[in-house]
Amino acid sequence: MKNITVEDILNICNGKLICGNKKDICESFCKDTRILQNGDVYVGIKGEKFDGNTLYKKAIENGAKVCILQGIEVDEEYIKNKEVSIILVDDTIKAIGKIANFKRNLYGKDFPVIAVTGSVGKTSTKDIIASVVSEKYKVLKTEGNMNNHIGLPFTILKLKDEEALVVEMGMNHFGEIDYLTNIAEPNISVITNIGTSHIGNLGSRENILKAKLEILNSKNIKNVVINNDNDLLHKWYEENKNKYEIHTYGIENSSKSIAKEISLMEQSSKFTAITDDEKYEITVPVGGEHFVYNALCALTVGRVLGLSKKEIENGIKKFELTKKRMEISKIKDNVTIINDSYNASFDSMKAALKYLKDIEGERKIAVLGDMLELGSYAEDLHRKVGEEFNKNNIDVLVTVGELSKNINNVVNTKENYHFENNKKAEVFLNKELKQGDVALFKASNGMKFFEIIEKLK
C-alpha cells in the first residue's frame, strides 16, 4: 500500500494543523458520517443543502482519525483530549482532488489507469472493461456513476494493493473532464460516443466532442480507444490518426477491432471479433447491439494491456451490469420489466427502443419520461424519440412528464397515453399490464421512474 500522512496533506493543500500528529497515516477517506469507519479520514464537504464541515464532532465520535475541514471554527475545548488530527484547508473539494492526484502518482506513471467518457454508455463500458482487466490485474473501479469532481477523487483514494484503475468521467460543461483528467492522469483514454447529452449546456455535438476530448490532456496519455462508428469520432480519427496511438472499434466502419456474425438474443449476444487477423468468439451476458460495442471496447483495452485471448473472452462473459441499466425482471402474470431508468438521452432512448423491438413478448410497451438538460434542443430531441418509436413497431406508448408530450405528438400508434406524474402512470400500468407483456422504462434519473417500478404488483 502507498501511504499518505497528515504531513503530506498539509504540504499538498497548504493546510493548517489545528491539532494532532503529522505522522498519522491517512488510509481510508469518507465524507459521510453515517458510514464512516473507525480510523477513517473525514472530509467535510459543503453542499447546496448542508455543510458537512459542521458534522466534525459526529465524525470524531464515530472514530475519525483525521478531519479535513474548511470554513469552520473548531471547538478547542471539545478536541482538547481527543486523539484526532484536524486540518483546515481553503476548499475541501479542491483539497481532495489534490490529495487524490498525489495518491495516484504514488503508483507511478505506468500504473494502468483507464479513463472512460462519452455521451452514453460510460458506466456499462467502464464495468465491462473492469471485468476484462480483472482477468489479469487486481482492479479498482468507479462504483456506480461516481464520476464527478467529488466521486472520482474518492475512488482514487480507495487505492490500496490494486494493480489497475478503471474510472468513469462525466461532465456538464467545458473544463470538467480536463479537471478530472489532471487528477487521474490516465494512460489509456476511452471515448464511447458523442451524442446529445448536455447539449443544452454545450450548444452543439461538436462542442460536446471538444469537451470529451479533454480526456486526452493527461501527461501520461499513451493510448486512445474510440468507437469508430460514431460519426464525429470517426471524423476526428481521420484527422488525428497520426498524432496519437489510436485504437478503433466498430461494426460498420473499418476498425482495428470489428464485430462480425452478430447474433442478438433477449438477454445476451454472440459475435466474432476480428483484430489483427486474430478471431475472438465473444458472448456478452446482456442483450442489445450497444453492448456489442461495449464488449468491443473492452476487448480493445484488454489487447492494449496485453491480456490473452482467453482472458478477454472470459472477462466479457463474466461481466455484470450495474443496477437500473437494462435490468430485466418479472412481475405477476409473467410480465417482463426492463428497467433502464438510470439515465436517458436521445442516443440511449434509440438503443433501448431497438432492444425492446427485438425482445420476445405478447405486447411491447414503452414507458418513456423526460430527458433532462437538453435546453433549447429539448422539444426537437423528444420528437426524434417519437420518430424512433415509429420505426420499431412497438405496440403501446406511455409517457410521463412535461417534455415527453413531444414524443406523443409524432407517434402513430393508437395506444398512446400521457400522464403528468409517476403516480398516475403507476395506477394506469397496474391496470393495463397483461400476461406476456414486455414493458421498457426509460427516462432521466431525475424522473424517479423507480417509484413506478417499485409499485407495480
Side-chain angles (χ1 to χ4, degrees), residues 189-223:
S189 291
V190 175
I191 308 178
T192 61
N193 47 59
I194 304 299
T196 56
S197 297
H198 313 301
I199 197 169
N201 295 331
L202 291 162
S204 68
R205 290 183 67 226
E206 287 73 18
N207 278 344
I208 294 171
L209 171 64
K210 184 178 178 181
K212 297 295 185 183
L213 287 172
E214 292 172 3
I215 200 170
L216 305 184
N217 293 349
S218 169
K219 65 183 182 184
N220 293 329
I221 191 66
K222 291 183 179 178
N223 296 278

Coordinates of all heavy atoms in Angstrom, one line a residue, residues 189-223:
S189 N -7.2 6.3 -22.5 CA -8.4 7.1 -22.5 C -9.4 6.5 -23.5 O -9.0 6.3 -24.7 CB -8.1 8.6 -22.9 OG -7.4 9.2 -21.8
V190 N -10.6 6.3 -23.1 CA -11.7 5.7 -23.9 C -12.8 6.7 -24.1 O -13.3 7.4 -23.1 CB -12.2 4.5 -23.2 CG1 -13.4 3.9 -23.9 CG2 -11.2 3.4 -23.0
I191 N -13.2 6.9 -25.3 CA -14.4 7.7 -25.7 C -15.4 6.8 -26.4 O -15.2 6.3 -27.5 CB -14.1 8.9 -26.5 CG1 -12.9 9.7 -25.9 CG2 -15.3 9.8 -26.7 CD1 -12.4 10.9 -26.7
T192 N -16.6 6.6 -25.7 CA -17.6 5.6 -26.2 C -18.4 6.2 -27.4 O -18.7 5.4 -28.3 CB -18.5 5.2 -25.1 OG1 -19.3 6.4 -24.7 CG2 -17.8 4.6 -24.0
N193 N -18.7 7.4 -27.4 CA -19.5 8.0 -28.4 C -19.8 9.5 -28.1 O -19.5 10.0 -27.0 CB -20.9 7.4 -28.6 CG -21.6 7.2 -27.3 OD1 -21.8 8.1 -26.6 ND2 -21.9 5.9 -26.9
I194 N -20.2 10.2 -29.1 CA -20.6 11.7 -29.0 C -22.0 11.8 -29.4 O -22.4 11.6 -30.6 CB -19.7 12.6 -29.8 CG1 -18.2 12.4 -29.5 CG2 -20.1 14.1 -29.6 CD1 -17.8 12.7 -28.0
G195 N -22.9 12.0 -28.4 CA -24.3 12.1 -28.7 C -24.9 13.5 -28.4 O -24.2 14.5 -28.7
T196 N -26.0 13.6 -27.7 CA -26.7 14.8 -27.4 C -26.8 15.1 -25.9 O -27.4 16.2 -25.5 CB -28.1 14.8 -28.0 OG1 -28.8 13.7 -27.5 CG2 -28.0 14.8 -29.5
S197 N -26.3 14.3 -25.0 CA -26.4 14.5 -23.6 C -25.7 15.9 -23.3 O -24.6 16.1 -23.7 CB -25.7 13.4 -22.8 OG -26.4 12.2 -23.0
H198 N -26.4 16.7 -22.5 CA -25.9 18.0 -22.1 C -25.7 19.0 -23.2 O -25.0 20.0 -23.1 CB -24.6 17.9 -21.3 CG -24.6 16.8 -20.3 ND1 -25.5 16.8 -19.2 CD2 -23.8 15.7 -20.1 CE1 -25.2 15.7 -18.5 NE2 -24.3 15.0 -19.0
I199 N -26.4 18.8 -24.3 CA -26.3 19.7 -25.5 C -26.9 21.1 -25.1 O -26.5 22.1 -25.7 CB -27.0 19.1 -26.7 CG1 -26.5 19.8 -28.0 CG2 -28.5 19.1 -26.6 CD1 -26.9 19.2 -29.3
G200 N -27.8 21.1 -24.1 CA -28.4 22.3 -23.7 C -27.3 23.2 -23.0 O -27.4 24.5 -23.1
N201 N -26.3 22.6 -22.4 CA -25.2 23.4 -21.8 C -24.1 23.8 -22.8 O -23.5 24.8 -22.7 CB -24.6 22.6 -20.7 CG -25.5 22.4 -19.5 OD1 -26.5 23.2 -19.3 ND2 -25.4 21.3 -18.8
L202 N -23.8 22.8 -23.7 CA -22.7 23.0 -24.6 C -23.0 23.5 -26.0 O -22.1 24.0 -26.7 CB -21.9 21.7 -24.7 CG -21.3 21.3 -23.4 CD1 -20.9 19.8 -23.4 CD2 -20.0 22.1 -23.2
G203 N -24.3 23.4 -26.4 CA -24.7 24.1 -27.6 C -24.6 23.4 -28.9 O -25.3 23.7 -29.9
S204 N -23.8 22.3 -29.0 CA -23.7 21.5 -30.3 C -23.0 20.2 -30.0 O -22.2 20.1 -29.0 CB -22.9 22.3 -31.4 OG -21.6 22.4 -31.0
R205 N -23.2 19.2 -30.8 CA -22.4 18.0 -30.7 C -20.9 18.2 -30.9 O -20.1 17.5 -30.3 CB -22.9 16.9 -31.7 CG -24.3 16.4 -31.4 CD -24.8 15.4 -32.4 NE -23.9 14.2 -32.2 CZ -23.4 13.5 -33.3 NH1 -23.6 14.0 -34.5 NH2 -22.7 12.4 -33.1
E206 N -20.6 19.2 -31.7 CA -19.2 19.5 -31.9 C -18.5 20.0 -30.7 O -17.4 19.6 -30.3 CB -19.0 20.5 -33.1 CG -19.2 19.9 -34.5 CD -20.7 19.7 -34.8 OE1 -21.6 20.2 -34.0 OE2 -21.0 18.9 -35.7
N207 N -19.3 20.8 -29.9 CA -18.7 21.2 -28.6 C -18.7 20.1 -27.6 O -17.8 20.1 -26.7 CB -19.6 22.4 -28.1 CG -19.2 23.7 -28.7 OD1 -18.2 23.9 -29.3 ND2 -20.1 24.7 -28.6
I208 N -19.6 19.2 -27.7 CA -19.6 18.0 -26.8 C -18.3 17.2 -27.1 O -17.6 16.8 -26.1 CB -20.9 17.1 -26.9 CG1 -22.1 17.9 -26.5 CG2 -20.7 15.8 -26.2 CD1 -23.4 17.2 -26.8
L209 N -18.0 17.0 -28.3 CA -16.8 16.3 -28.7 C -15.6 17.0 -28.1 O -14.7 16.4 -27.6 CB -16.6 16.2 -30.2 CG -15.3 15.7 -30.8 CD1 -15.0 14.3 -30.4 CD2 -15.2 15.9 -32.3
K210 N -15.5 18.3 -28.3 CA -14.4 19.1 -27.8 C -14.3 19.0 -26.3 O -13.1 18.8 -25.8 CB -14.6 20.6 -28.1 CG -13.5 21.5 -27.7 CD -13.8 23.0 -28.1 CE -12.6 23.9 -27.7 NZ -12.9 25.3 -28.1
A211 N -15.4 18.9 -25.6 CA -15.3 18.8 -24.1 C -14.9 17.4 -23.7 O -14.1 17.2 -22.8 CB -16.7 19.0 -23.5
K212 N -15.3 16.3 -24.5 CA -14.9 15.0 -24.2 C -13.4 14.8 -24.5 O -12.8 14.0 -23.8 CB -15.8 14.0 -25.0 CG -17.2 14.0 -24.7 CD -17.5 13.5 -23.3 CE -19.0 13.4 -23.0 NZ -19.4 13.0 -21.6
L213 N -12.9 15.4 -25.5 CA -11.5 15.3 -25.9 C -10.5 15.8 -24.8 O -9.3 15.6 -24.9 CB -11.2 15.9 -27.2 CG -11.8 15.2 -28.4 CD1 -11.7 16.0 -29.7 CD2 -11.2 13.8 -28.6
E214 N -11.1 16.5 -23.8 CA -10.2 17.0 -22.7 C -9.6 15.8 -22.0 O -8.6 15.9 -21.3 CB -11.0 17.8 -21.8 CG -11.4 19.2 -22.3 CD -12.4 19.9 -21.4 OE1 -12.7 19.4 -20.3 OE2 -12.9 21.0 -21.8
I215 N -10.2 14.6 -22.2 CA -9.7 13.4 -21.6 C -8.3 13.0 -22.1 O -7.6 12.2 -21.5 CB -10.6 12.2 -21.8 CG1 -10.4 11.1 -20.7 CG2 -10.6 11.6 -23.2 CD1 -11.5 10.0 -20.7
L216 N -7.9 13.7 -23.2 CA -6.5 13.4 -23.8 C -5.5 14.3 -23.2 O -4.3 14.3 -23.5 CB -6.6 13.6 -25.3 CG -7.6 12.8 -26.1 CD1 -7.4 13.0 -27.6 CD2 -7.5 11.3 -25.7
N217 N -5.9 15.2 -22.2 CA -5.0 16.2 -21.6 C -4.0 15.6 -20.6 O -3.2 16.3 -20.0 CB -5.7 17.3 -21.0 CG -6.5 18.2 -22.1 OD1 -6.2 18.0 -23.3 ND2 -7.3 19.1 -21.7
S218 N -4.1 14.3 -20.3 CA -3.2 13.7 -19.4 C -1.8 13.7 -19.8 O -1.5 13.4 -21.0 CB -3.7 12.2 -19.1 OG -2.7 11.5 -18.4
K219 N -0.9 14.0 -18.9 CA 0.5 14.0 -19.3 C 1.0 12.6 -19.5 O 2.1 12.3 -20.0 CB 1.4 14.7 -18.2 CG 1.4 14.0 -16.8 CD 2.1 14.8 -15.8 CE 2.2 14.1 -14.4 NZ 2.8 14.9 -13.4
N220 N 0.2 11.6 -19.0 CA 0.6 10.2 -19.2 C 0.0 9.5 -20.4 O 0.2 8.3 -20.5 CB 0.3 9.4 -17.9 CG 1.0 9.8 -16.7 OD1 2.2 10.2 -16.8 ND2 0.4 9.7 -15.5
I221 N -0.8 10.2 -21.2 CA -1.5 9.5 -22.2 C -0.7 8.8 -23.2 O 0.4 9.3 -23.7 CB -2.4 10.5 -23.0 CG1 -3.4 9.8 -23.9 CG2 -1.6 11.5 -23.7 CD1 -4.4 9.0 -23.1
K222 N -1.0 7.5 -23.4 CA -0.3 6.6 -24.3 C -1.2 6.1 -25.4 O -0.8 6.0 -26.6 CB 0.4 5.5 -23.6 CG 1.5 5.9 -22.7 CD 2.2 4.7 -22.1 CE 3.4 5.0 -21.2 NZ 3.9 3.8 -20.5
N223 N -2.4 5.7 -25.0 CA -3.3 5.0 -25.9 C -4.7 5.7 -25.8 O -5.2 6.0 -24.7 CB -3.4 3.5 -25.6 CG -2.1 2.8 -25.8 OD1 -1.8 2.4 -26.9 ND2 -1.4 2.6 -24.7

